[in-house]
């Protein structure tokens, strides 16, 4: 049997409903922040990610899905969406628009050829935000507030915000020098990858999954000691605005992030949930003031984040948050025989267009198993249609909870359902206001 590719998963039934529910919440939350939807292609020229995410990152050097298209162009399935959104910002000349800053959000699949393990997939979904055109530290704090508010809105309690600063170019250069000096006498203790990183980008050594527990890594110089005045001020202001918004955070100097484009603020949100496991980073992001220029646009500051949907779903499961109500129907229609099916279709179609949730028996069940099916579907009412009903222009409608039966004239069905769904149950079909 053909199976799904390693590191991917199918979505169906309850999980599908949960995901659609989350997507709706995301879209409406974004309206509250005045952030516009953006969608970019799932594949882009490979060069975009080399220049954007960085050659020395694990993501680009080991994890991309690359292919030659039929025109011999090097293409890559996007491992993340910041680079793609920046490309789109430049290509569509959004920097020239009057309504700065440009605020965008996206949701969609990303691809990384990682070793599949709990919380890590090869195809995974991210919801993210990218904002261009302002270097205001209040915006860094606003970006951090989005995932925090989203998680709170969903009822997650065990969340922890870690922040750090990587400073501006000058601070980073000073820090780079400090790392080069520090690691020089220890080079042969480091893995081969890190020896290469030493030459190209020593900051990446701090992010190595292989060497992470070495003492020399733990005792390496800290970026916060190398921030210049401008960078220190920026970082202090971000903290001021986070406090103003009542967002708890911790400064964690170990956060360097696995992508090269960051300057100033970087942050991660962790699930501080017992037993959640090591893949507990729910979300990450930060400021990237040089990326637009590096990809070929005018010098423009940017800041953003992305959160993984899969890790969010498992955090919700760990905290026992159900998210969605049990599925239900307003009415389940049972035609007694083949002769009543046309009539049933006509009535069902009309009622659906009037805003009721309805299904019909398509399996020609006998009446007893149809009652069972109506319970499985959590139908509030059942409509039985037989010869007698058609000849006399009414339906036999049964309340599935109270078992009370009604004979309702065809032209009165909408009023009947409106009234009884309101009275008999907590109806949320949206058309009774
Ligand atoms: P990232 O930290 O690589 O950042 O990914 C963000 C989030 O995506 C992670 O915190 C995690 O929840 C989820 N994620 C990443 N890889 C996987 C995976 N293999 N399986 C499941 N979930 C995963 C970025 O992608 C940046 N573009 C974030 C950003 C936006 N920074 C600025 N703007």
């Amino acid at each position: 049997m053909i199976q799904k590719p390693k590191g991917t998963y199918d979505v169906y039934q309850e999980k599908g409903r949960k995901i659609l529910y989350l997507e709706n919440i995301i879209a409406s939350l974004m309206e509250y922040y005045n952030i516009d939807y953006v969608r970019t292609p799932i594949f882009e020229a490979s060069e975009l990610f080399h220049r954007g995410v960085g050659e020395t990152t694990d993501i680009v050097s080991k994890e991309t899905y690359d292919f030659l298209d039929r025109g011999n162009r090097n293409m890559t399935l996007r491992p993340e969406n910041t680079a793609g959104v920046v490309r789109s910002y430049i290509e569509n000349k959004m920097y020239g628009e009057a309504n700065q800053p440009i605020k965008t959000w996206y949701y969609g699949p990303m691809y990384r050829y990682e070793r599949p393990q709990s919380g890590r997939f090869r195809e995974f979904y991210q919801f993210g935000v990218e904002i261009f055109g302002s270097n205001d530290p209040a915006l860094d704090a606003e970006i951090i507030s989005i995932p925090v508010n989203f998680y709170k809105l969903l009822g997650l309690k065990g969340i922890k915000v870690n922040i750090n600063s990587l400073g501006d170019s000058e601070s980073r250069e000073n820090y780079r020098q400090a790392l080069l000096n520090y690691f020089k006498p220890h080079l042969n203790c480091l893995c081969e990858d890190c020896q290469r990183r030493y030459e190209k980008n020593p900051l990446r050594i701090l992010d190595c999954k292989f060497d992470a527990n070495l003492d020399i890594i733990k005792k390496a110089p800290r970026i916060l000691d190398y921030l210049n005045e401008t960078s220190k001020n920026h970082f202090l202001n971000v903290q001021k605005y986070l406090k103003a918004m009542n967002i708890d955070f911790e400064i964690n100097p170990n956060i360097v992030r696995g992508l090269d484009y960051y300057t100033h603020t970087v942050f991660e949100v962790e699930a501080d949930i017992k037993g959640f496991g090591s893949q507990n980073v729910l979300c990450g992001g930060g400021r990237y003031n040089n990326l637009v220029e590096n990809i070929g646009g005018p010098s423009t500051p940017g800041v953003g984040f992305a959160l993984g949907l899969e890790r969010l779903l498992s955090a919700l499961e760990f905290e026992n948050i159900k998210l969605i109500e049990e599925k239900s129907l307003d009415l389940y229609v049972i035609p007694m025989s083949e002769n009543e099916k046309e009539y049933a279709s006509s009535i069902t179609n009309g009622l659906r267009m009037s805003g009721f949730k309805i299904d019909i028996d398509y399996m020609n069940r006998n009446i007893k198993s149809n009652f069972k099916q109506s319970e499985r579907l959590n139908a509030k009412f059942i409509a039985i249609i037989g010869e007698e009903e058609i000849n006399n222009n009414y339906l036999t409608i049964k309340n599935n909870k109270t078992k009370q039966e009604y004979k309702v004239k065809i032209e009165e069905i909408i009023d009947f359902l409106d009234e009884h769904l309101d009275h008999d149950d907590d109806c949320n079909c949206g058309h009774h206001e």
Side-chain angles (χ1 to χ4, degrees), residues 80 82 112 114 119 121 126 130 257 261-262 282-283 304 306 308:
E80 57 100 58
T82 309
R112 295 184 192 174
E114 298 196 73
F121 295 89
Q126 280 186 346
E130 313 295 345
R257 310 274 303 127
Y261 45 64
Y262 293 109
L282 296 179
C283 156

Side-chain angles (χ1 to χ4, degrees), residues 254-272:
N254 294 325
I255 293 181
V256 292
R257 310 274 303 127
L259 308 102
D260 275 351
Y261 45 64
Y262 293 109
T263 54
H264 292 288
T265 319
V266 284
F267 74 97
E268 287 179 350
V269 182
E270 266 178 30
D272 201 7

Side-chain angles (χ1 to χ4, degrees), residues 59 79-83 106 110 112 114 119-126 128-130 151 257-259 261-262 268-269 281-288 303-312:
I59 294 177
E80 57 100 58
N81 209 14
T82 309
Y106 51 84
M110 309 294 154
R112 295 184 192 174
E114 298 196 73
R120 264 186 208 284
F121 295 89
R122 290 184 173 170
E123 180 186 69
F124 59 97
Y125 277 67
Q126 280 186 346
V129 172
E130 313 295 345
Y151 295 140
R257 310 274 303 127
L259 308 102
Y261 45 64
Y262 293 109
E268 287 179 350
V269 182
V281 180
L282 296 179
C283 156
R287 186 164 270 290
Y288 45 84
V303 60
F305 81 90
L307 67 80
L309 192 80
E310 296 73 12
R311 293 188 197 172
L312 166 62

Side-chain angles (χ1 to χ4, degrees), residues 213-340:
N213 290 322
L214 290 182
D215 244 19
I216 41 159
I217 302 256
K218 288 183 185 158
K219 289 185 184 149
R222 296 286 161 90
I223 177 76
L224 292 178
D225 298 325
Y226 293 83
L227 295 184
N228 60 15
E229 279 311 301
T230 319
S231 305
K232 264 187 209 158
N233 277 337
H234 188 96
F235 195 39
L236 283 173
N237 279 321
V238 173
Q239 295 170 48
K240 178 179 83 182
Y241 290 114
L242 285 174
K243 283 178 194 148
M245 286 191 282
N246 253 330
I247 293 176
D248 289 335
F249 62 88
E250 259 175 46
I251 297 175
N252 180 345
N254 294 325
I255 293 181
V256 292
R257 310 274 303 127
L259 308 102
D260 275 351
Y261 45 64
Y262 293 109
T263 54
H264 292 288
T265 319
V266 284
F267 74 97
E268 287 179 350
V269 182
E270 266 178 30
D272 201 7
I273 303 170
K274 207 166 175 250
F276 189 64
S278 55
Q279 298 310 320
N280 59 355
V281 180
L282 296 179
C283 156
R287 186 164 270 290
Y288 45 84
N289 284 352
N290 302 327
L291 183 59
V292 176
E293 200 172 358
N294 287 347
I295 292 183
S299 171
T300 310
V303 60
F305 81 90
L307 67 80
L309 192 80
E310 296 73 12
R311 293 188 197 172
L312 166 62
L313 283 169
S314 70
L316 288 165
E317 239 163 71
F318 260 85
E319 286 204 346
N320 242 329
I321 296 170
K322 278 193 74 181
L323 221 57
I324 46 170
E325 305 271 298
E326 218 180 316
K327 196 164 119 163
S328 69
L329 283 182
D330 294 328
L331 187 69
Y332 179 62
V333 177
I334 307 173
M336 293 300 282
S337 76
E338 206 53 36
N339 301 335
E340 290 84 33

Side-chain angles (χ1 to χ4, degrees), residues 148-163:
V148 170
N149 287 344
F150 179 53
Y151 295 140
K152 277 189 190 157
L153 207 67
L154 297 174
L156 273 185
K157 294 202 174 65
I159 54 169
K160 190 173 146 200
V161 180
N162 290 308
I163 62 169

Side-chain angles (χ1 to χ4, degrees), residues 32-50:
Y32 288 92
Y33 278 89
N34 186 31
I35 302 179
D36 277 330
Y37 179 65
V38 65
R39 201 180 73 193
T40 63
I42 284 171
F43 62 95
E44 297 266 7
S46 304
E47 195 198 341
L48 174 67
F49 302 110
H50 287 252

